[in-house]
Amino acid sequence: MECREVRRLLPALLDGELPQPARDEVEAHLAHCRDCRRVYDDYRRDQQVLSYHLRTAPWLPVTKRPWEQERAGRAQSSRWSWLASGGNKVAAGVALLALLALITGGALALRGMSNGPGEPGTVALMTSTAAGASTMLGPETTSATLPANASYPAQIIAELSAHGLAFKINKQATIDGKKVTFDRLIVDRSVTYLEYTMPGAGPLPAAVNLVDASGASELGRYGSTLTAKPVDPTSPTPIEHWMVFPGLDPSTKQVTLSIDRGPLVPLDIPVTVNLAPLRDMPEPVQLRAEDSSKGIDLTGLTLTRGLVVTRLDWKATISDQNRLQLVDQPVHVPNVEEEMSVHASGASVSMVNSGETTGASDVEGMAEFIGVPAKGTLTLTIGWLDVGQRGGASGHIAVGPWTLTIDLSNPGNAQPQPTATPRIAEVTSTPAATPVSTPTVAATPTATAPVTVSSALPAGLYFVAPAKDGVQSFWEQPQDKSSAPKLILHPDADIDAYWPVPGSNRVIFRQSGDGQVYLLNVDSHQTQRVAVDAAEAVPSPDGSQIAYISPNQQTLSIGSADTLTANGTPQISSIYVVDNSQSETIHGLHWSPSGKQLMFQLSQIAGNTVEVVTNPEPNGVVWQSKGDVMSAAFSPDGTQLVYSTGSAIVKVNLADGKETDLTPDGVKGGQQALLNVTWRPDDRIGFIAHQDQTVYSPADLWLMKSDGSQAWKAHPGLGAVLDFRWSPRPGSDGFVVGLSQAPGESTSQASGLIWYPALHSGEKNQQQPQPDPVTLGQGAVGQPVDKLEWAGK
Amino acid sequence: MDRGLVDGKRQSGGVEGWRGPKQVPAADAATAFESIVTTYEAPISRYLYGMTGDAELARDLTQETFLSAYRALPTTEITNLAGWLYRIATNHALSHFRRKRLISWVPLSRLTDAGHDPSVAGHGEWVVTSAAIEAALTQLDPKDRACLLLKASGFSSDEIAEQLGCSPGAARTRLFRAREAFRQIYHRDDPDDEAEVR
């Protein structure tokens, strides 16, 4: 066995996960190879060091118990309702027994932990024979049945089946030693259920992805299987379970259930569906509302009507903190009985599901109903909102109520009903003109005056953003702004870099799992390993050469474009090697526009610098920065460079190394972080000034001429910019930004990709209205959106 | 935080024929959950300290972890409570890092001699100091750091995959790279340690 192979297997050996005969072979190699033995000893010692670190780590006991407020507060809440379905205390006992048994099992699973306060061994009520020892545990029982009127989700599934929306799967599989039968897939407009039977307690010990024809996949929630009955964990009888996914597009004809069974090959089950009955349902409608009295704006409202389930998504933003009425103990909320309730005129509506996520300045929620009639009004009343910690108040509940009244025949034009309680002032809508509506980001209506700037989005926009399961995936935004982005690649582990190959339909990418580079065909979605082992592989602007950084990030080499897929050992020539003794590494490679020079970051113990070297040597290092560089760009003719130190913008003449400080007065000496430096073809230099050092703060786009004159804040208020690209269209000053996650906000439906067709405060045409910015990918792509590239084909 | 589905069968107004469920006496649910907190408070807090290097922050994240667990517990069937709790804790820690990330062109920036003082240890000796370990951990990507600490907490590669939300293959590869990265950083100044991958 070669050292290289042995090194890869050492972790498995250390963890006791290496099977024979590999184990014998590795141990034999270690007996005679001093280097590999040293590495293995290091791994072993490091593991002990980290264990020791955890065992001796300081820790502070929790001082607040916010879950207690939840318990006390939601008087009508069903927090533990499944334990007590049907008011059966016996069932509660069984379920709690299951829960407590898990504590023991879970505690024993903690290995390598020393004893300390509150550690395993101190919880005593663990056996099933402890009945009577505590009022919690009732007598033993088998699983109880649901009361007849408990409907969710069994009743929903029955109704959808009656409409022909249940699709047989009938496939068995053994997963983790359990025999699982996947029974059916049942679909409504906004929700999809997967029915399966399995003995004993769930969840399914596997991740299930629901993959549609475009390759977009939705992950069924891990461990959030909903069951109809409280489960007797000791019973071997198969029990029915459901797993829930978001809804499918009604044009879907086939989906694949992809079941990740860990070390085994994934099990892919194709399911043919016919969602024709859903096509008659109205398209999801966007509603807009504002509140003027209680400090909360209800926005982002979307009503999705399905055959059985109707879903309302909403977002409550704090518009005026001073108007919030905040209380500590929700149970004493004045004048408000319930947290949320729904009423429909002349119909019997039930809320079957709801959820909220509280962010720093907003609350996002959804609610699902059944029994929503076709006509009449639907009234949703939100009694209070958990808005997190606010100002000086120790409490975190904002008191409403807020009432939203929707005219079901014409939800776009719903009007508030006058009542004594403060409510949403207006409900207006932007009716969907196309199947997927794309509301604009700007609060003001889109200008109807003629625009002189083309707002068309140039083709070939790629970016990295999370797929629904959170993995950073690779997407393309179609030229049609209202089209959803296409998921081109959903890798096993986050994509952390990519480089389009000019003049082709291929992209080189790297994923964080293994640090290797791969070639992706964006049309066929096929991938293959790049023939050269590399940490980075960056094509030259004309696509004829590839610059490679070796896996240990110490050597920079150049090869022709053929080396990407060559057989055998591709010919590459090294043009730069770090000085090893200082533990330096190189990364962040950029070509100059002419292809004659390369720029990269050099990481040393003392800090990071930027180097510019010529291709090919022998001219060697052309320029080296004196200190840290946060962002840099070549001039269009490649003779100069502009870079940011974070607080200053500096221009460098590469021929003689002369530097000029270009930092505009408006940002000099401030706290702002100056990043995303660009040098446009029209010779203007741009950068983004972030208000502080985090990725969230509001950001302004600055522009100036390349001599530093005429510097101005070209577009203020861009939000939390992570990445920025000018439009490739000649003469255009449009641009696109990728936004990062704002503090506290969930990765929700809000998209992080925004197209600005022009600078909004137009320097020349102050009078002329400019086209509004457009949010791309709403509902399909969340945040953060990073690594934008425009790559023509 | 995920916008997970919560089985919120709230009492609906104006509804005929559908009744909400009855309530468990608050005391029973309280005691059950309190046991979980008492049992896991210390290990989770220590794990989060390993992730963040800040005991107060670790405590705040621990509180958030238990709150999320409390909310998800009623509608979740759990076979591996410890694994599940650490998953939530990891998500909170990673969210925290996403919020606090300093914009940098370089994913990892080296600290200048942080925690290392080769003059203290004699040739061939190795002094294990918390500062040195923390300094090494800080230089890792948060997910790599999580991998190492979860492994040191006793979880298997498959459990770690679930906790990080990736496939087991990706978890194993990440674990390999994280261990190698930690080894290189932590043993950087160890004069005896010259083993390099060729």
Side-chain angles (χ1 to χ4, degrees), chain A residues 207-212 214-220 258 260 463-476 486-495 509 511 520 525-527, chain B residues 165-167:
Chain A
V208 180
N209 277 290
L210 187 65
V211 185
D212 69 13
S214 77
S217 80
E218 305 288 353
L219 184 66
S258 183
D260 180 355
F463 59 95
V464 170
K468 287 290 198 290
D469 62 354
V471 172
Q472 303 289 333
S473 302
F474 185 60
W475 303 75
E476 179 188 353
K486 291 195 300 190
L487 182 63
I488 307 261
L489 180 68
H490 180 196
D492 281 340
D494 298 344
I495 288 208
F509 70 94
Q511 60 181 54
L520 163 70
H525 299 197
Q526 298 290 335
T527 62
Chain B
C166 64
S167 73

Side-chain angles (χ1 to χ4, degrees), chain A residues 447 449-453 758-771:
Chain A
V451 293
T452 57
V453 173
L759 292 173
H760 218 82
S761 50
E763 61 181 339
K764 297 191 190 80
N765 302 310
Q766 297 274 3
Q767 307 306 322
Q768 214 151 6
Q770 301 287 2

Side-chain angles (χ1 to χ4, degrees), chain B residues 9-152:
Chain B
K9 293 187 194 137
R10 302 211 164 87
Q11 192 74 26
S12 311
V15 169
E16 281 83 47
W18 188 83
R19 246 174 311 171
K22 298 234 184 120
Q23 286 301 297
V24 175
D28 300 346
T31 318
F33 193 70
E34 190 57 35
S35 307
I36 297 181
V37 175
T38 320
T39 307
Y40 287 99
E41 190 183 3
I44 296 250
S45 210
R46 286 182 166 141
Y47 165 67
L48 288 169
Y49 177 84
M51 287 294 289
T52 62
D54 178 342
E56 286 198 8
L57 174 58
R59 179 198 50 208
D60 291 344
L61 292 173
T62 304
Q63 270 159 198
E64 283 181 40
T65 300
F66 285 126
L67 181 58
S68 297
Y70 180 75
R71 284 172 171 168
L73 205 54
T75 51
T76 310
E77 302 227 30
I78 306 153
T79 45
N80 181 353
L81 184 63
W84 183 68
L85 285 174
Y86 272 78
R87 175 164 177 254
I88 298 176
T90 305
N91 282 341
H92 280 294
L94 294 177
S95 278
H96 166 80
F97 284 113
R98 278 197 290 271
R99 290 198 284 273
K100 290 280 185 276
R101 179 164 67 111
L102 195 66
I103 305 164
S104 171
W105 201 17
V106 180
L108 302 172
S109 60
R110 300 284 175 93
L111 304 177
T112 33
D113 299 318
H116 276 260
D117 193 353
S119 63
V120 172
H123 180 87
E125 281 177 45
W126 192 248
V127 177
V128 178
T129 62
S130 295
I133 303 170
E134 270 178 58
L137 284 174
T138 315
Q139 294 181 56
L140 297 177
D141 178 81
K143 275 191 178 175
D144 288 347
R145 200 181 309 155
C147 243
L148 289 183
L149 293 171
L150 289 168
K151 178 52 77 174

Side-chain angles (χ1 to χ4, degrees), chain A residues 97-426:
Chain A
L97 168 63
L99 182 65
L100 295 173
L102 281 171
I103 296 178
T104 311
L108 290 176
L110 281 178
R111 296 177 281 279
M113 302 297 298
S114 68
N115 283 325
E119 296 225 317
T122 61
V123 188
L125 332 143
M126 289 303 112
T127 63
S128 57
T129 56
S134 149
T135 52
M136 257 195 295
L137 299 175
E140 295 273 6
T141 183
T142 54
S143 55
T145 54
L146 264 184
N149 56 4
S151 57
Y152 174 70
Q155 174 193 321
I156 297 175
I157 288 181
E159 254 188 82
L160 289 169
S161 306
H163 284 280
L165 287 165
F167 306 97
K168 278 210 179 72
I169 304 171
N170 223 357
K171 185 123 180 182
Q172 288 207 341
T174 304
I175 295 175
D176 211 27
K178 290 191 185 183
K179 199 183 284 185
V180 180
T181 309
F182 295 98
D183 302 306
R184 298 187 297 172
L185 198 70
I186 304 104
V187 184
D188 200 348
R189 195 74 173 83
S190 63
V191 66
T192 305
Y193 300 95
L194 169 66
E195 227 178 31
Y196 64 96
T197 359
M198 192 172 79
L204 195 65
V208 180
N209 277 290
L210 187 65
V211 185
D212 69 13
S214 77
S217 80
E218 305 288 353
L219 184 66
R221 293 273 154 220
Y222 247 128
S224 64
T225 315
L226 308 172
T227 60
K229 319 166 178 46
V231 171
D232 174 0
T234 61
S235 163
T237 312
I239 292 160
E240 221 166 40
H241 300 255
W242 293 281
M243 193 177 266
V244 184
F245 300 85
L248 294 164
D249 185 282
S251 64
T252 308
K253 294 269 185 274
Q254 175 150 314
V255 293
T256 305
L257 287 173
S258 183
I259 296 152
D260 180 355
R261 298 180 292 173
L264 301 176
V265 165
L267 177 66
D268 281 340
I269 307 177
V271 183
T272 306
V273 299
N274 176 4
L275 305 185
L278 290 180
R279 292 212 208 102
D280 295 331
M281 299 311 299
E283 290 302 323
V285 178
Q286 304 277 348
L287 313 172
R288 203 158 71 180
E290 281 170 21
D291 178 85
S292 60
S293 65
K294 290 264 179 167
I296 296 270
D297 285 349
L298 271 189
T299 60
L301 295 148
T302 310
L303 186 73
T304 308
R305 297 285 297 267
L307 269 174
V308 176
V309 177
T310 296
R311 177 180 164 128
L312 181 70
D313 289 277
W314 51 269
K315 181 160 151 163
T317 314
I318 296 172
S319 57
D320 187 346
Q321 177 134 333
N322 299 323
R323 289 183 135 167
L324 292 179
Q325 184 187 353
L326 298 171
V327 295
D328 261 348
Q329 294 295 325
V331 71
H332 299 305
V333 171
N335 304 324
V336 180
E337 284 195 358
E338 293 142 24
E339 186 177 346
M340 201 179 302
S341 63
V342 68
H343 181 92
S345 51
S348 147
V349 172
S350 302
M351 185 177 325
V352 295
N353 205 350
S354 66
E356 288 119 46
T357 313
T358 300
S361 60
D362 60 32
V363 180
E364 279 178 26
M366 69 81 144
E368 285 177 341
F369 317 100
I370 55 174
V372 174
K375 291 205 197 29
T377 51
L378 183 72
T379 307
L380 175 74
T381 304
I382 299 173
W384 70 77
L385 285 171
D386 178 353
V387 291
Q389 294 295 318
R390 291 281 134 216
S394 57
H396 56 250
I397 303 294
V399 180
W402 298 271
T403 306
L404 177 62
T405 305
I406 301 168
D407 177 354
L408 292 163
S409 336
N410 202 351
N413 291 329
Q415 293 297 321
Q417 305 291 314
T419 67
T421 54
R423 46 171 64 254
I424 318 296
E426 267 163 21

